Amino acid sequence: MHAWLCENPTGVDALTWKELPTPTPGPGQVLIEIKAASLNFPDLLIVQNKYQMKPPLPFVPGSEYAGVVQAVGDGVTHLKVGQNVTCLSGTGGFGTHTLAPAALCMPLPEGFGHVDAAAFIMIYATSWHALMDRAQLKAGETVLVLGAAGGVGTAAIQIAKAAGAKVIAAASTDEKCELCRSIGADATINYTTHALPNGFRDAIKAATDGKGPDVIYDPVGGDFAEPAFRSIGWRGRYLVVGFASGPIPSLPLNLTLLKGASLVGVFWGDFAKREPKANAQMMAELAHWYGQGKIKPVIDSTMPMAELKAAYAHMGSRGVKGKLVMVN
């Protein structure tokens, strides 16, 4: 097998494409021949030693992937050789093969392709857990999605629309705003032309008829957080999803008092570990929605696995719309 090996987490340039012995699965593991692996923001942080999970060195990055089961270890009964699966295990995806915990593998129904499957779990699980569980989104409410053209943003738009909400999508270019409208957003805000903080706040006010959004989905953080929170509606829920812009913002807590609003943390990874039954029910519902055509990953492009460094550069340029997927 071959894989991108991180022996020193100083950044993307330190990754090397190496030939390694193809491993044999142990108890509770499966060997997967990887067909596709998506690039997520944590995949960048982890090779820079900036992610909350710090795997022992050396490791193969690539948190999310899909492929075909090649071998199963002792005690694995729900998966068999030749079965198509997708998995989000945190590492191992950027190669030709990997060992995966069988318990984390999601069998793919007929017609669920590897590219879509490799771009599915992280963005839809995060967005469903955020909107439907943490925010308790109801039909008729208004959701403002920041970073709306990215992976979790596009997933949030689709889930909110499927739940019967009105969606305002905020993104950095007219092209990205057009993408958001094409997948269901009711209104868009280009925050390059509606400059922070006042222009952005004015645009939110106009799009919500002065009421403010009921739910704000924020995977961006940084300078967007305070003006967005100041614009939230009465009893609004502000979803803290991530900090793609870099800085972790500080918010004046008096704003929660004035708006009767809630700051709500979203950590899908821990939810999946602490509440496995609820997570399994959620994933089954998401797979059902995919089969019905209610949700479908937005794929920016597919690139050969050997071009991983170029894919990282593309993601770092903030030009990606939806998900980048590496293929073997």
Side-chain angles (χ1 to χ4, degrees):
M1 63 168 283
H2 283 78
W4 286 99
L5 204 61
C6 181
E7 297 170 286
N8 183 16
T10 57
V12 176
D13 289 341
L15 295 176
T16 51
W17 180 247
K18 289 198 172 182
E19 186 174 5
L20 303 167
T22 304
T24 301
Q29 292 182 320
V30 293
L31 174 67
I32 297 174
E33 180 187 358
I34 295 170
K35 298 294 186 182
S38 67
L39 195 56
N40 294 289
F41 189 60
D43 298 319
L44 178 60
L45 296 178
I46 203 167
V47 300
Q48 298 172 333
N49 205 32
K50 294 179 180 177
Y51 195 52
Q52 55 251 39
M53 183 181 79
K54 301 193 188 303
L57 299 173
F59 69 92
V60 177
S63 53
E64 185 175 25
Y65 46 88
V68 183
V69 175
Q70 296 290 296
V72 300
D74 290 344
V76 178
T77 56
H78 72 294
L79 299 174
K80 60 182 184 294
V81 172
Q83 190 164 17
N84 290 305
V85 295
T86 185
C87 184
L88 197 155
S89 60
T91 57
F94 295 149
T96 59
H97 297 75
T98 193
L99 289 180
L104 298 182
C105 292
M106 173 180 160
L108 294 177
E110 195 71 31
F112 204 140
H114 291 125
V115 170
D116 275 1
F120 188 77
I121 296 178
M122 182 174 285
I123 61 172
Y124 287 102
T126 297
S127 296
W128 175 290
H129 174 54
L131 293 167
M132 308 305 292
D133 184 11
R134 301 294 287 137
Q136 295 289 300
L137 181 65
K138 300 176 183 65
E141 291 190 314
T142 298
V143 179
L144 170 65
V145 179
L146 306 184
V152 291
T154 52
I157 292 170
Q158 294 176 4
I159 288 171
K161 287 304 297 179
K166 176 185 176 182
V167 175
I168 301 162
S172 60
T173 68
D174 288 341
E175 187 183 15
K176 289 181 177 180
C177 287
E178 177 55 38
L179 166 71
C180 295
R181 286 191 292 272
S182 75
I183 60 170
D186 299 282
T188 56
I189 298 171
N190 180 336
Y191 43 63
T192 303
T193 54
H194 295 87
L196 291 169
N198 293 335
F200 185 50
R201 288 194 64 195
D202 290 344
I204 296 171
K205 188 174 182 179
T208 59
D209 297 324
K211 296 176 183 175
D214 300 291
V215 175
I216 297 176
Y217 181 100
D218 181 10
V220 179
D223 293 337
F224 292 90
E226 185 167 334
F229 197 94
R230 286 185 182 277
S231 305
I232 203 166
W234 175 249
R235 288 184 182 266
R237 290 88 76 200
Y238 193 100
L239 296 166
V240 182
V241 181
F243 312 103
S245 72
I248 295 176
S250 299
L251 289 174
L253 284 182
N254 66 309
L255 297 178
T256 62
L257 183 152
L258 295 170
K259 296 294 185 82
S262 305
L263 273 172
V264 184
V266 178
F267 190 0
W268 167 70
D270 246 34
F271 162 73
K273 290 175 190 169
R274 293 169 183 265
E275 303 177 43
K277 283 188 178 179
N279 184 64
Q281 289 173 342
M282 175 186 76
M283 292 312 302
E285 184 69 13
L286 284 168
H288 183 60
W289 276 19
Y290 178 87
Q292 291 179 314
K294 289 182 177 180
I295 57 176
K296 181 175 171 61
V298 174
I299 306 299
D300 179 275
S301 56
T302 58
M303 299 174 69
M305 189 69 75
E307 295 179 15
L308 179 64
K309 290 186 179 181
Y312 267 114
H314 183 33
M315 185 175 74
S317 73
R318 304 211 182 277
V320 175
K321 298 182 289 294
K323 292 289 286 281
L324 269 175
V325 179
M326 315 308 297
V327 294
N328 285 315

